[in-house]
Amino acid sequence: MSGTKNGKGLRRRSLLVGGAGAGLGLAGWGLSATPAAAAPIGSGWTEVSAAHNLHQPPDRTRHTVGSDGEHHFWLYDSDPSTFPGQDSGPRSELRFLDQYTSGSAQFEADVKVGAGAHNVCVMQVFGGSSWATAFMTLATHDSLTYYNYTDQVIQAPIYDTYLRLNVVHDTAAAAVHVFVNRRFKASYADHGRATHYFKCGLYGRAGMSARSDAYIKNIHLYRK
């Protein structure tokens, strides 16, 4: 990524002030501790199907799911690209089938990144007119960052600890709002109108760690 596509000049930490915060139905910025049950940020949401396709490197098994619903994703930096010629690295990801072009959508899950994972995307909002994605968060050493920009840290430290991640995409406001453990972290401009959907797991980027692991459970998707 280079030029205007590097995310450096994008808005952050401002879009929930005033009207945006009211639109989410928030009385304040923080919402106490992570609840045990699913609970979207804000009001007026309807849960939708979390049906998905699984993307893995060709002829490799890089995903399991336990009887408790915990997904384990792992990748090696030597794994081949999942879609040769169409991406920049291997993937072990869930691609959710619910798509949207308008309104608001929310992703919620408990996410744990294994120690040592670096330069791997763990969640993204696919679709944009100027970029391929509206939002990505990467495990960059022991932190979650906006794309791979180490000066835009969403949460740290992260290794070997479950975090409740909520990502709210408001297409009308062209904004993505991020919450960790039900506390507001940042807002970012999305990258234009498109057909959007959520993905989570691992997507290896240039310079990724030799092995990366992530664990994700309690996945819920919402729309309004």
Side-chain angles (χ1 to χ4, degrees):
M1 292 176 290
S2 61
T4 59
K5 294 188 177 183
N6 64 9
K8 291 285 188 178
L10 298 181
R11 295 169 291 167
R12 59 177 189 150
R13 302 188 186 280
S14 62
L15 294 178
L16 283 180
V17 175
L24 282 172
L26 301 175
W29 298 126
L31 291 177
S32 68
T34 303
I41 298 292
S43 59
W45 296 95
T46 298
E47 185 162 3
V48 297
S49 172
H52 56 267
N53 290 331
L54 173 64
H55 295 162
Q56 300 184 88
D59 302 317
R60 305 286 196 281
T61 297
R62 297 290 183 261
H63 167 269
T64 59
V65 58
S67 59
D68 59 353
E70 180 188 63
H71 295 265
H72 177 201
F73 307 87
W74 68 97
L75 285 175
Y76 297 95
D77 62 354
S78 58
D79 285 337
S81 290
T82 302
F83 303 108
Q86 300 179 48
D87 56 11
S88 60
R91 303 171 185 260
S92 175
E93 288 186 313
L94 305 185
R95 189 277 203 205
F96 296 97
L97 302 181
D98 185 71
Q99 300 185 159
Y100 60 97
T101 57
S102 61
S104 294
Q106 183 170 170
F107 170 92
E108 177 181 64
D110 296 327
V111 179
K112 180 173 70 173
V113 177
H118 173 63
N119 232 32
V120 284
C121 175
V122 297
M123 187 272 168
Q124 62 176 287
V125 182
F126 187 84
S129 58
S130 58
W131 295 26
T133 56
F135 170 80
M136 294 176 76
T137 185
L138 271 66
T140 307
H141 295 299
D142 196 10
S143 62
L144 286 181
T145 60
Y146 176 65
Y147 289 84
N148 61 344
Y149 300 107
T150 56
D151 62 338
Q152 298 194 39
V153 174
I154 295 170
Q155 178 74 15
I158 61 168
Y159 283 160
D160 294 333
T161 301
Y162 264 110
L163 306 170
R164 173 67 58 88
L165 178 66
N166 290 76
V167 176
V168 179
H169 185 198
D170 181 345
T171 65
V176 177
H177 311 295
V178 184
F179 298 77
V180 176
N181 294 336
R182 301 189 63 76
R183 294 189 177 276
F184 170 66
K185 289 295 181 176
S187 291
Y188 305 95
D190 69 12
H191 301 123
R193 292 188 175 275
T195 298
H196 301 286
Y197 51 85
F198 296 126
K199 302 181 80 174
C200 70
L202 291 172
Y203 174 22
R205 316 297 287 165
M208 67 181 287
S209 48
R211 174 170 171 149
S212 300
D213 291 81
Y215 304 83
I216 302 180
K217 62 183 181 179
N218 300 327
I219 300 169
H220 298 273
L221 309 183
Y222 307 95
R223 293 281 302 279
K224 70 175 179 178

